[in-house]
Amino acid sequence: MEQPGVPPQAGASAVAPLADTDVKVYRRRWIILGVLITSLMAIVLDNTVLNVALKTIAEPVVGLGASQSQLEWAINSYTLVFAGLLFTFGVVGDRIGRKRMLMTGLAAFGFFSLVTAYAQSPDQLVWARAAMGLAAAAVMPQTLSIISNVFDPAERPRAIGIWAVAVGIGIAIGPIVGGLLLAHFWWGSVFLINVPFTAASVVAIALLVPESKNPDPGRIDYVGVLASIAGLVLVVYGIIQGGDKGSWVHLDVLGPIIVGAAVLAFFAWYEARIRYPSLDVRLFRDPRLSSAIGALSLVFFGMIGALFFLSFYLQSVRGYTPLKAGAFSLAFAVSQMLMAPRSPALVRRFGAKAVVSTGLLLVTVALLSYQLLAISTPIWVLAAAFFIQGAGMGLVMPPSTEAVMSVVPRERAGAGSALTNTARQVSGALGVAVLGSVLAQVYRNQLSPHLANLPATARDAATSSITASQAVAAKLGTAGQELARLADSSFVHAMHITTLISAAITLLGALIVMRWMPGRAAAPAAGAALGSAAALEGAATLEGAATLEGAATLEGAATLEGAATLEGAATLEGAEWPLGAASRNGHAATNGVARPGGSAAREG
């Protein structure tokens, strides 16, 4: 049996030497995981740290006087560029080196954060945020790629679970960090904090993280990259325009949406017909991957969209400071910390389908509970809803992420990482665009009938956002008190409608998982032979952590007698795959390569 640190025989694999041959890397794999999570934290925090600063940026004196649509673009310019380039940078990292791409992306992210912090207008903020999204896209896919190459299959689900917990916690504590900074500094500090953070991460990565590449990464799909970005931007632009205009039956609204949808349809058609696609749409034929992506997408659609308007509820309606408003996300973070580490054990016992669908149902319950919120509702109701929502997220993220990464071949880990992150970013951007537009339209329709006595210019300004309404009310003195009250009640009404839509979407996600995500496989029959390298369908679960005779672990990857690994794409000595496929993704497999811990990796 191969031992850690013993190099494989020449020609056994085309993978660049990593943990397969370096015992030092294997011994510090958990430290490497810590460094990757720390470097990722600035990227993840930036998804939500801006939410708590939205009200401040919307103010004309201490902020930039940004409108509702400009605030939506400040969020979505980041997420759309981020999502559109994730696949490209995943492939580039596989080609030139994941460590090199990770360090380059972090350095660029720190620089563009500095530029964003000193933006002088809403338009500058939007463009600077787009540049930050470009840099973030270079960082995110490399982290999961490196994890997939450093950890053996038996340990990989645990490592990915920790990674997913860190992502969830980073999203949850973003508002807290933003609130602390806004309590002492100006709004640009929420971006300036990224600079020292990324600088320290670059140094740690240079010293500790090993380099790895895909020896056959393929070409960069420029057509696919441009089509995906153009399609997403057009769709989101049309949706935001619908919220601004108060009508969806308008050429400026339907035109971009229809053209964007057509471009995205062309993107899917084109990707299915080229050799090196940005997004291998054929992977979605695997129900484990497609249902997991669906779960991640729908849960982030509801969550990011809800966080967008809950920030205004806490600060504009309830009058909390940014710090107090951000503190409510502690309930979200704590429940994730409690639930996410337990999700692998729950998956082993009940199966991924039961765990993920339960998580989505919990998120649905939390979103429905926002119907209880009013202008003077006890604030513990919101804290309880956050706690339930965080618990649901903790059940959804780790098993869904592991399901995706176990389907994608190891040498294409960058593409698999990009797939999960694209699902989160695109759905988050659409959540802000769709739910933000619905909120704006309902708010305008609810408030407008009460503004007949105001001048036309003041009436238009008052209906653009609750922040603008309160600014107009402040200028009217005592006469504006009624307008402020009406603005609060109109916003709460709009929030109720929007959260109902969010709950319906996450409920749809639960139904999709129940219908299409594979459940627990039947236990192996007594006396079933385990000598074959291929697991028989129905004999062993590919999602749980079942062990067979104490020798084989099947967590999306199995070890047989401590020597052979089935990552969803490996064969041993020419053994056949389940169902007779050459490999799960149609890739030919070669003999295994010894990895630390006594497992073998394959390359397709």
Side-chain angles (χ1 to χ4, degrees):
M1 183 172 66
E2 297 283 353
Q3 298 297 323
V6 179
Q9 293 179 353
S13 172
V15 175
L18 188 65
D20 297 315
T21 57
D22 191 343
V23 69
K24 292 181 180 179
V25 169
Y26 175 70
R27 287 174 176 170
R28 64 173 184 244
R29 62 198 185 282
W30 295 107
I31 298 176
I32 292 171
L33 177 62
V35 171
L36 294 174
I37 289 174
T38 303
S39 64
L40 183 65
M41 200 55 64
I43 310 298
V44 174
L45 282 172
D46 207 74
N47 281 279
T48 54
V49 72
L50 180 60
N51 285 313
V52 78
L54 291 174
K55 182 178 183 295
T56 304
I57 295 173
E59 294 176 356
V61 178
V62 297
L64 298 176
S67 67
Q68 179 88 7
S69 62
Q70 287 171 329
L71 292 176
E72 291 180 36
W73 275 115
I75 294 175
N76 285 337
S77 63
Y78 175 86
T79 53
L80 287 175
V81 174
F82 191 172
L85 292 175
L86 273 169
F87 288 108
T88 299
F89 282 120
V91 173
V92 172
D94 289 344
R95 175 188 291 270
I96 71 171
R98 293 150 185 157
K99 173 180 178 178
R100 182 183 303 174
M101 180 55 64
L102 181 59
M103 294 172 63
T104 302
L106 281 169
F109 189 82
F111 172 75
F112 289 126
S113 296
L114 180 65
V115 174
T116 306
Y118 290 98
Q120 300 298 308
S121 69
D123 288 342
Q124 289 182 17
L125 177 66
V126 169
W127 285 107
R129 288 277 295 165
M132 289 179 65
L134 182 148
V139 173
M140 182 70 84
Q142 317 312 326
T143 56
L144 271 181
S145 299
I146 294 171
I147 289 172
S148 294
N149 281 272
V150 167
F151 284 89
D152 284 329
E155 291 182 320
R156 191 176 303 144
R158 182 185 175 195
I160 291 177
I162 295 172
W163 178 93
V165 171
V167 170
I169 292 174
I171 291 172
I173 67 174
I176 304 173
V177 174
L180 283 169
L181 292 169
L182 290 173
H184 300 92
F185 307 102
W186 94 115
W187 64 266
S189 61
V190 300
F191 304 110
L192 197 62
I193 191 176
N194 293 333
V195 178
F197 210 93
T198 52
S201 296
V202 168
V203 174
I205 291 167
L207 296 175
L208 295 170
V209 176
E211 184 61 280
S212 63
K213 299 179 183 180
N214 179 3
D216 185 24
R219 303 183 192 87
I220 297 176
D221 174 22
Y222 295 103
V223 174
V225 171
L226 294 175
S228 63
I229 295 176
L232 288 170
V233 169
L234 285 169
V235 169
V236 170
Y237 174 79
I239 293 171
I240 293 177
Q241 283 288 95
D244 283 347
K245 293 183 178 296
S247 173
W248 294 85
V249 186
H250 196 282
L251 182 61
D252 291 346
V253 177
L254 293 179
I257 292 176
I258 293 172
V259 174
V263 172
L264 291 176
F266 164 78
F267 169 75
W269 175 85
Y270 180 78
E271 296 300 285
R273 285 161 175 78
I274 62 174
R275 183 177 179 185
Y276 298 109
S278 293
L279 171 60
D280 189 351
V281 295
R282 290 161 292 197
L283 291 173
F284 286 92
R285 296 172 183 170
D286 190 310
R288 186 157 49 128
L289 181 142
S290 55
S291 58
I293 290 296
L296 286 171
S297 299
L298 294 176
V299 79
F300 268 81
F301 182 100
M303 185 195 73
I304 300 297
L307 290 178
F308 175 75
F309 55 75
L310 283 172
S311 174
F312 287 99
Y313 170 76
L314 287 168
Q315 295 183 59
S316 298
V317 176
R318 302 303 295 263
Y320 287 99
T321 64
L323 177 57
K324 289 183 178 179
F328 282 95
S329 62
L330 275 175
F332 192 95
V334 168
S335 62
Q336 278 207 89
M337 291 177 65
L338 291 174
M339 192 59 68
R342 291 167 173 77
S343 63
L346 293 173
V347 169
R348 288 194 295 270
R349 183 173 181 180
F350 301 106
K353 175 189 286 190
V355 173
V356 174
S357 59
T358 300
L360 284 163
L361 290 174
L362 285 176
V363 173
T364 302
V365 169
L367 291 171
L368 287 173
S369 69
Y370 292 144
Q371 301 298 307
L372 302 175
L373 299 177
I375 297 175
S376 57
T377 302
I379 204 63
W380 64 261
V381 174
L382 178 59
F386 271 177
F387 188 89
I388 295 172
Q389 190 169 349
M393 290 287 293
L395 290 176
V396 171
M397 285 186 61
S400 296
T401 305
E402 163 59 16
V404 174
M405 295 306 293
S406 64
V407 169
V408 178
R410 174 173 169 256
E411 73 277 6
R412 297 177 61 197
S417 174
L419 190 59
T420 61
N421 288 296
T422 297
R424 286 195 289 264
Q425 296 300 326
V426 170
S427 57
L430 290 175
V432 171
V434 173
L435 300 180
S437 295
V438 170
L439 181 81
Q441 185 171 345
V442 175
Y443 177 76
R444 181 182 295 106
N445 294 340
Q446 186 76 9
L447 185 61
S448 293
H450 303 285
L451 304 178
N453 295 328
L454 290 178
T457 54
R459 187 163 57 246
D460 292 340
T463 56
S464 63
S465 69
I466 187 172
T467 303
S469 301
Q470 292 175 337
V472 172
K475 293 178 181 178
L476 297 176
T478 56
Q481 293 179 0
E482 179 65 12
L483 172 59
R485 186 189 66 79
L486 288 170
D488 289 348
S489 61
S490 298
F491 185 88
V492 170
H493 173 74
M495 186 178 71
H496 287 167
I497 300 299
T498 308
T499 51
L500 280 177
I501 297 173
S502 301
I505 289 170
T506 52
L507 178 60
L508 174 63
L511 296 176
I512 288 174
V513 168
M514 292 177 188
R515 172 63 180 84
W516 281 289
M517 180 172 277
R520 296 179 64 194
L530 297 177
S532 173
L536 298 178
E537 180 169 312
T541 177
L542 292 178
E543 298 166 329
T547 58
L548 305 180
E549 301 293 329
T553 301
L554 297 169
E555 283 239 22
T559 59
L560 300 180
E561 299 181 353
T565 299
L566 296 176
E567 294 183 22
T571 64
L572 297 179
E573 300 297 328
E576 292 184 0
W577 283 93
L579 306 180
S583 75
R584 175 165 299 159
N585 291 292
H587 297 287
T590 61
N591 293 338
V593 178
R595 284 174 61 81
S599 66
R602 66 90 195 91
E603 295 299 333

